[in-house]
mmCIF file of all heavy atoms in Angstrom:
data_model
loop_
_atom_site.group_PDB
_atom_site.id
_atom_site.type_symbol
_atom_site.label_atom_id
_atom_site.label_comp_id
_atom_site.label_asym_id
_atom_site.label_seq_id
_atom_site.Cartn_x
_atom_site.Cartn_y
_atom_site.Cartn_z
ATOM 1 N N GLY A 209 -10.712 22.776 -8.052
ATOM 2 C CA GLY A 209 -11.044 23.439 -9.315
ATOM 3 C C GLY A 209 -9.843 23.888 -10.115
ATOM 4 O O GLY A 209 -9.959 24.638 -11.084
ATOM 5 N N ASP A 210 -8.641 23.357 -9.786
ATOM 6 C CA ASP A 210 -7.409 23.780 -10.485
ATOM 7 C C ASP A 210 -7.492 23.573 -11.993
ATOM 8 O O ASP A 210 -6.965 24.369 -12.769
ATOM 9 C CB ASP A 210 -6.170 23.059 -9.908
ATOM 10 C CG ASP A 210 -6.381 21.548 -9.726
ATOM 11 O OD1 ASP A 210 -7.509 21.077 -9.931
ATOM 12 O OD2 ASP A 210 -5.422 20.854 -9.374
ATOM 13 N N GLY A 211 -8.190 22.504 -12.447
ATOM 14 C CA GLY A 211 -8.239 22.235 -13.887
ATOM 15 C C GLY A 211 -9.421 22.874 -14.583
ATOM 16 O O GLY A 211 -9.676 22.606 -15.771
ATOM 17 N N SER A 212 -10.146 23.731 -13.864
ATOM 18 C CA SER A 212 -11.358 24.302 -14.469
ATOM 19 C C SER A 212 -11.322 25.809 -14.604
ATOM 20 O O SER A 212 -12.363 26.456 -14.730
ATOM 21 C CB SER A 212 -12.566 23.903 -13.604
ATOM 22 O OG SER A 212 -12.746 22.517 -13.685
ATOM 23 N N THR A 213 -10.119 26.370 -14.556
ATOM 24 C CA THR A 213 -10.037 27.838 -14.638
ATOM 25 C C THR A 213 -10.290 28.296 -16.080
ATOM 26 O O THR A 213 -10.153 27.521 -17.025
ATOM 27 C CB THR A 213 -8.641 28.317 -14.187
ATOM 28 O OG1 THR A 213 -7.651 27.617 -14.939
ATOM 29 C CG2 THR A 213 -8.448 28.045 -12.706
ATOM 30 N N LEU A 214 -10.648 29.553 -16.213
ATOM 31 C CA LEU A 214 -11.017 30.105 -17.516
ATOM 32 C C LEU A 214 -9.842 30.834 -18.154
ATOM 33 O O LEU A 214 -9.097 31.552 -17.463
ATOM 34 C CB LEU A 214 -12.197 31.071 -17.342
ATOM 35 C CG LEU A 214 -13.463 30.443 -16.751
ATOM 36 C CD1 LEU A 214 -14.522 31.508 -16.502
ATOM 37 C CD2 LEU A 214 -13.981 29.330 -17.653
ATOM 38 N N TRP A 215 -9.668 30.623 -19.450
ATOM 39 C CA TRP A 215 -8.593 31.273 -20.199
ATOM 40 C C TRP A 215 -8.678 32.795 -20.019
ATOM 41 O O TRP A 215 -9.757 33.384 -20.049
ATOM 42 C CB TRP A 215 -8.713 30.911 -21.691
ATOM 43 C CG TRP A 215 -7.584 31.493 -22.496
ATOM 44 C CD1 TRP A 215 -7.608 32.623 -23.253
ATOM 45 C CD2 TRP A 215 -6.251 30.979 -22.576
ATOM 46 N NE1 TRP A 215 -6.376 32.843 -23.793
ATOM 47 C CE2 TRP A 215 -5.518 31.853 -23.414
ATOM 48 C CE3 TRP A 215 -5.580 29.876 -22.020
ATOM 49 C CZ2 TRP A 215 -4.170 31.649 -23.711
ATOM 50 C CZ3 TRP A 215 -4.251 29.676 -22.313
ATOM 51 C CH2 TRP A 215 -3.551 30.555 -23.144
ATOM 52 N N GLY A 216 -7.510 33.397 -19.767
ATOM 53 C CA GLY A 216 -7.477 34.854 -19.618
ATOM 54 C C GLY A 216 -7.620 35.317 -18.180
ATOM 55 O O GLY A 216 -7.438 36.485 -17.870
ATOM 56 N N THR A 217 -7.888 34.383 -17.249
ATOM 57 C CA THR A 217 -8.054 34.795 -15.838
ATOM 58 C C THR A 217 -6.845 34.391 -15.003
ATOM 59 O O THR A 217 -6.858 34.514 -13.786
ATOM 60 C CB THR A 217 -9.312 34.135 -15.210
ATOM 61 O OG1 THR A 217 -9.099 32.710 -15.129
ATOM 62 C CG2 THR A 217 -10.551 34.421 -16.036
ATOM 63 N N GLY A 218 -5.785 33.925 -15.652
ATOM 64 C CA GLY A 218 -4.606 33.414 -14.930
ATOM 65 C C GLY A 218 -4.007 34.440 -13.990
ATOM 66 O O GLY A 218 -4.209 35.655 -14.165
ATOM 67 N N ASP A 219 -3.267 33.953 -12.991
ATOM 68 C CA ASP A 219 -2.625 34.816 -12.020
ATOM 69 C C ASP A 219 -1.116 34.731 -12.214
ATOM 70 O O ASP A 219 -0.644 33.886 -12.982
ATOM 71 C CB ASP A 219 -2.974 34.282 -10.603
ATOM 72 C CG ASP A 219 -3.019 35.429 -9.600
ATOM 73 O OD1 ASP A 219 -2.446 36.499 -9.913
ATOM 74 O OD2 ASP A 219 -3.615 35.247 -8.531
ATOM 75 N N ASN A 220 -0.355 35.590 -11.546
ATOM 76 C CA ASN A 220 1.088 35.418 -11.575
ATOM 77 C C ASN A 220 1.638 35.521 -12.996
ATOM 78 O O ASN A 220 2.541 34.802 -13.372
ATOM 79 C CB ASN A 220 1.404 34.008 -11.011
ATOM 80 C CG ASN A 220 2.827 33.901 -10.485
ATOM 81 O OD1 ASN A 220 3.318 34.841 -9.871
ATOM 82 N ND2 ASN A 220 3.476 32.789 -10.747
ATOM 83 N N ASP A 221 0.973 36.381 -13.831
ATOM 84 C CA ASP A 221 1.354 36.564 -15.251
ATOM 85 C C ASP A 221 1.072 35.355 -16.121
ATOM 86 O O ASP A 221 1.543 35.281 -17.252
ATOM 87 C CB ASP A 221 2.859 36.895 -15.404
ATOM 88 C CG ASP A 221 3.178 38.218 -14.717
ATOM 89 O OD1 ASP A 221 2.238 39.030 -14.602
ATOM 90 O OD2 ASP A 221 4.325 38.409 -14.266
ATOM 91 N N TYR A 222 0.343 34.370 -15.599
ATOM 92 C CA TYR A 222 -0.023 33.219 -16.434
ATOM 93 C C TYR A 222 -1.361 33.477 -17.111
ATOM 94 O O TYR A 222 -2.172 34.259 -16.617
ATOM 95 C CB TYR A 222 -0.108 31.953 -15.575
ATOM 96 C CG TYR A 222 1.198 31.545 -14.916
ATOM 97 C CD1 TYR A 222 1.220 31.076 -13.608
ATOM 98 C CD2 TYR A 222 2.410 31.636 -15.593
ATOM 99 C CE1 TYR A 222 2.415 30.696 -12.993
ATOM 100 C CE2 TYR A 222 3.608 31.259 -14.991
ATOM 101 C CZ TYR A 222 3.595 30.789 -13.687
ATOM 102 O OH TYR A 222 4.772 30.427 -13.082
ATOM 103 N N LYS A 223 -1.608 32.747 -18.246
ATOM 104 C CA LYS A 223 -2.820 32.982 -19.016
ATOM 105 C C LYS A 223 -4.042 32.322 -18.397
ATOM 106 O O LYS A 223 -5.163 32.834 -18.450
ATOM 107 C CB LYS A 223 -2.623 32.432 -20.442
ATOM 108 C CG LYS A 223 -1.676 33.293 -21.292
ATOM 109 C CD LYS A 223 -2.466 34.384 -22.008
ATOM 110 C CE LYS A 223 -1.614 35.261 -22.901
ATOM 111 N NZ LYS A 223 -0.652 36.094 -22.114
ATOM 112 N N ILE A 224 -3.832 31.089 -17.884
ATOM 113 C CA ILE A 224 -4.998 30.359 -17.344
ATOM 114 C C ILE A 224 -4.678 29.707 -15.995
ATOM 115 O O ILE A 224 -5.545 29.570 -15.136
ATOM 116 C CB ILE A 224 -5.487 29.291 -18.356
ATOM 117 C CG1 ILE A 224 -6.742 28.565 -17.859
ATOM 118 C CG2 ILE A 224 -4.394 28.274 -18.680
ATOM 119 C CD1 ILE A 224 -7.396 27.663 -18.890
ATOM 120 N N ASP A 225 -3.378 29.378 -15.790
ATOM 121 C CA ASP A 225 -3.010 28.716 -14.530
ATOM 122 C C ASP A 225 -3.276 29.656 -13.356
ATOM 123 O O ASP A 225 -3.001 30.851 -13.428
ATOM 124 C CB ASP A 225 -1.521 28.335 -14.570
ATOM 125 C CG ASP A 225 -1.122 27.459 -13.394
ATOM 126 O OD1 ASP A 225 -1.977 26.676 -12.939
ATOM 127 O OD2 ASP A 225 0.014 27.572 -12.918
ATOM 128 N N ARG A 226 -3.847 29.096 -12.293
ATOM 129 C CA ARG A 226 -4.154 29.848 -11.073
ATOM 130 C C ARG A 226 -5.268 30.875 -11.295
ATOM 131 O O ARG A 226 -5.439 31.802 -10.506
ATOM 132 C CB ARG A 226 -2.910 30.577 -10.541
ATOM 133 C CG ARG A 226 -1.675 29.691 -10.450
ATOM 134 C CD ARG A 226 -0.498 30.370 -9.818
ATOM 135 N NE ARG A 226 0.688 29.507 -9.847
ATOM 136 C CZ ARG A 226 1.791 29.739 -9.151
ATOM 137 N NH1 ARG A 226 1.862 30.795 -8.345
ATOM 138 N NH2 ARG A 226 2.830 28.924 -9.206
ATOM 139 N N GLY A 227 -6.049 30.669 -12.369
ATOM 140 C CA GLY A 227 -7.112 31.624 -12.691
ATOM 141 C C GLY A 227 -8.378 31.369 -11.912
ATOM 142 O O GLY A 227 -8.362 30.719 -10.864
ATOM 143 N N ASN A 228 -9.496 31.823 -12.452
ATOM 144 C CA ASN A 228 -10.772 31.711 -11.761
ATOM 145 C C ASN A 228 -11.581 30.543 -12.312
ATOM 146 O O ASN A 228 -11.755 30.413 -13.522
ATOM 147 C CB ASN A 228 -11.577 33.004 -11.938
ATOM 148 C CG ASN A 228 -12.849 32.981 -11.097
ATOM 149 O OD1 ASN A 228 -12.853 32.414 -9.995
ATOM 150 N ND2 ASN A 228 -13.911 33.560 -11.611
ATOM 151 N N ALA A 229 -12.032 29.682 -11.416
ATOM 152 C CA ALA A 229 -12.883 28.549 -11.810
ATOM 153 C C ALA A 229 -14.308 28.891 -11.409
ATOM 154 O O ALA A 229 -14.577 29.114 -10.225
ATOM 155 C CB ALA A 229 -12.426 27.279 -11.107
ATOM 156 N N VAL A 230 -15.191 28.966 -12.399
ATOM 157 C CA VAL A 230 -16.599 29.248 -12.119
ATOM 158 C C VAL A 230 -17.310 27.910 -12.065
ATOM 159 O O VAL A 230 -17.423 27.213 -13.076
ATOM 160 C CB VAL A 230 -17.197 30.148 -13.222
ATOM 161 C CG1 VAL A 230 -18.681 30.391 -12.947
ATOM 162 C CG2 VAL A 230 -16.428 31.459 -13.299
ATOM 163 N N ILE A 231 -17.700 27.499 -10.865
ATOM 164 C CA ILE A 231 -18.215 26.138 -10.657
ATOM 165 C C ILE A 231 -19.558 26.214 -9.950
ATOM 166 O O ILE A 231 -19.670 26.786 -8.854
ATOM 167 C CB ILE A 231 -17.210 25.321 -9.812
ATOM 168 C CG1 ILE A 231 -15.875 25.174 -10.566
ATOM 169 C CG2 ILE A 231 -17.772 23.950 -9.455
ATOM 170 C CD1 ILE A 231 -14.779 24.491 -9.786
#
Side-chain angles (χ1 to χ4, degrees):
D210 46 354
S212 293
T213 53
L214 300 175
W215 183 261
T217 66
D219 210 341
N220 202 39
D221 297 334
Y222 297 139
K223 287 271 182 293
I224 183 171
D225 189 32
R226 311 185 184 193
N228 186 34
V230 178
I231 297 175

